[in-house]
Amino acid sequence: MRLSAKLRCTISLVIISISFLTWIILFFNPSQIMGVEHCHVSASGPSAESWKMLIQMNPIISLLIGWLVMVIAMMLPKLIFPIQQIYSKNFKPNRFPASLFFVLGYVSVWTAVGLLMVLVILSLNLWFPNSYLPAIGIAMIALLWQFSPIKQKFLNRGHNHKTISAFGWLVYRDSLVYGLEHGVWCIGSGWALMLFPMLLPQGHNAAMLAVTFIMISEHMEHPQKPAWKLDGRLKLYYYVKAQLGLIKK
């Protein structure tokens, strides 16, 4: 069924508001939720003792929470259209719970990958304490991945919209599976970009804003033929520029 413009706008505003609130959490960093920013290891080099010290200073659960807050802040706006699709394919009583199951599936995938990412971050901080080398290395990988045909395949898959059952528990099963699949495609396209800000000794917030802009912009692009090519994917930039032009008029 076709959603009204008012309902589409409401969904967008709610999601953007939640994303905005999580950005505030990231900027103020209460209880040092982004613990990786304060990772300092002695110059004695990697060892069992230094690894133990690193874990004590930066509990994995704290880093994982920080990772999830970052995922919600950066990735939630990308879920506006899928959630609108879920609303359009469900009866009113099922719309909100089905959307929650979709988000649950999506976040679950990012949580599993986040655990691996946290271990990578801790390991690199152990070998290169307070160094920009890991961030530079992953930036080079991200740049290569950015223009690869494999990434384009993941981006194309992200435009797939799963058929959702209309009745019974199948509504929630299909929504959960849809979230899991969408999470896999998002991770496949943006894993390197997401890891980059977490490896910076300083400047996490600025890097996260830049990465968010890139990822939302490329998500707005239409599917393309996978191939090696330089593509700025600046659709969000042109959209914002057009909106500012309308405001000036």
Side-chain angles (χ1 to χ4, degrees), residues 110-142:
W110 276 104
T111 302
V113 171
L115 182 58
L116 176 61
M117 293 290 194
V118 164
L119 294 175
V120 170
I121 292 165
L122 286 173
S123 299
L124 289 174
N125 271 273
L126 184 63
W127 283 89
F128 306 97
N130 258 348
S131 172
Y132 282 91
L133 286 177
I136 293 172
I138 197 64
M140 295 175 65
I141 294 173

Side-chain angles (χ1 to χ4, degrees), residues 174-185:
D174 291 349
S175 298
L176 181 66
V177 172
Y178 182 18
L180 291 169
E181 292 179 351
H182 199 69
V184 170
W185 309 141

Side-chain angles (χ1 to χ4, degrees), residues 25-148:
I25 294 174
L26 288 176
F27 283 135
F28 286 95
N29 196 15
S31 301
Q32 307 303 335
I33 196 172
M34 300 296 288
V36 74
E37 294 184 19
H38 306 278
C39 178
H40 304 290
V41 185
S42 67
S44 60
S47 66
E49 187 63 30
S50 58
W51 176 259
K52 182 180 179 180
M53 184 187 304
L54 188 65
I55 294 295
Q56 289 176 344
M57 294 170 60
N58 299 279
I60 290 179
I61 186 64
S62 177
L63 289 177
L64 189 57
I65 291 173
W67 169 265
L68 289 177
V69 172
M70 187 180 76
V71 167
I72 292 172
M74 297 173 67
M75 307 301 287
L76 206 57
K78 294 177 63 175
L79 304 185
I80 290 176
F81 186 72
I83 290 177
Q84 288 177 343
Q85 288 290 306
I86 289 174
Y87 264 67
S88 69
K89 295 177 180 179
N90 278 285
F91 296 111
K92 285 185 178 181
N94 294 331
R95 286 174 171 176
F96 183 69
S99 298
L100 289 180
F101 271 87
F102 168 77
V103 174
L104 176 62
Y106 185 84
V107 172
S108 296
V109 176
W110 276 104
T111 302
V113 171
L115 182 58
L116 176 61
M117 293 290 194
V118 164
L119 294 175
V120 170
I121 292 165
L122 286 173
S123 299
L124 289 174
N125 271 273
L126 184 63
W127 283 89
F128 306 97
N130 258 348
S131 172
Y132 282 91
L133 286 177
I136 293 172
I138 197 64
M140 295 175 65
I141 294 173
L143 187 62
L144 185 66
W145 190 257
Q146 189 71 11
F147 305 117
S148 71

